[in-house]
Amino acid sequence: DVVMTQSPLSLPVTLGQPASISCRSSQSLVHSDGNTYLSWFQQRPGQSPRRLFYRVSNRDSGVPDRFSGSGSGTDFTLKISRVEAEDVGVYYCMQGTHWPPWTFGQGTKVEIK
Amino acid sequence: EVQLVESGGGLVQPGGSLRLSCAASGFTFSSQRMHWVRQVPGKGLVWVSHINSDGSGATYADSVKGRFTISRDNAKSNLYLQMNSLRAEDTAVYYCAGGFDNWGQGTLVTVSS
């Protein structure tokens, strides 16, 4: 199984400041079809997960453009250019290249300092 | 508006069975691969099972293989998860997800005597 490792696991940030979350996979996520199936999810307190990005950097509808996804191969990053209060929650990366199983990172908890 | 509404969770004794349902609306259910994902309260997301759009193929996490069965009724836009031989470690909130871009609100399954 592909292991997804996120860092940091806890991220205190100041409102208006940038934030960055790293996600590394135990093997390359480049599929034989040429796509890289790496997604990012946000889970606000008490809510269901919501997908933010698919195939590394494709933003889902309604996701603010202060969020960006990047990376390739085994190293991926989710960035928030200026953190807002509504961004508090846990963020997960997930690979869908080598399935089954689809595997998630441990989650990164973003909180306001 | 896309909606996924899970039901069927509850308290069950170890060794017991439960059937979860997920009612879908607002999108072409019969064209969408569907998943079950679970989350122990306060912990991370874990993929459980998937079924392809026409129901002809399904996969399972090793932890539930042989005990859980996923199925779907495309005529009714419903997804199911039959859970047998339940264990304490199956206690979690179970989410249905359509292609991971849409998620339900989750249903809590508690396995305890």
Side-chain angles (χ1 to χ4, degrees), chain A residues 1 39 41 43 47-51 60 92 94 96 99-106, chain B residues 33 35 37 39 43-47 50 59-60 62 95 99-101 103-106:
Chain A
D1 298 355
S39 298
F41 298 87
Q43 188 174 31
Q47 295 188 13
S48 303
R50 165 201 184 194
R51 195 178 67 183
D60 272 280
Y92 298 91
M94 184 203 77
W99 60 267
W102 283 260
T103 48
F104 292 88
Q106 317 97 301
Chain B
R33 172 192 285 175
H35 301 264
V37 176
Q39 184 175 38
K43 302 296 184 182
L45 300 170
V46 178
W47 173 81
H50 115 278
T59 61
Y60 300 90
D62 287 345
Y95 296 100
F100 293 118
D101 49 341
W103 295 64
Q105 85 288 350

Side-chain angles (χ1 to χ4, degrees), chain A residues 70-99:
Chain A
S70 63
S72 62
T74 61
D75 288 333
F76 305 91
T77 304
L78 176 70
K79 292 182 178 178
I80 311 173
S81 59
R82 297 172 307 280
V83 171
E84 297 189 6
E86 66 177 18
D87 300 334
V88 164
V90 182
Y91 292 79
Y92 298 91
C93 59
M94 184 203 77
Q95 71 83 22
T97 296
H98 305 288
W99 60 267

Side-chain angles (χ1 to χ4, degrees), chain B residues 68-79:
Chain B
F68 289 12
T69 302
I70 191 172
S71 62
R72 65 191 297 160
D73 183 338
N74 283 348
K76 295 182 178 178
S77 296
N78 282 351
L79 176 72

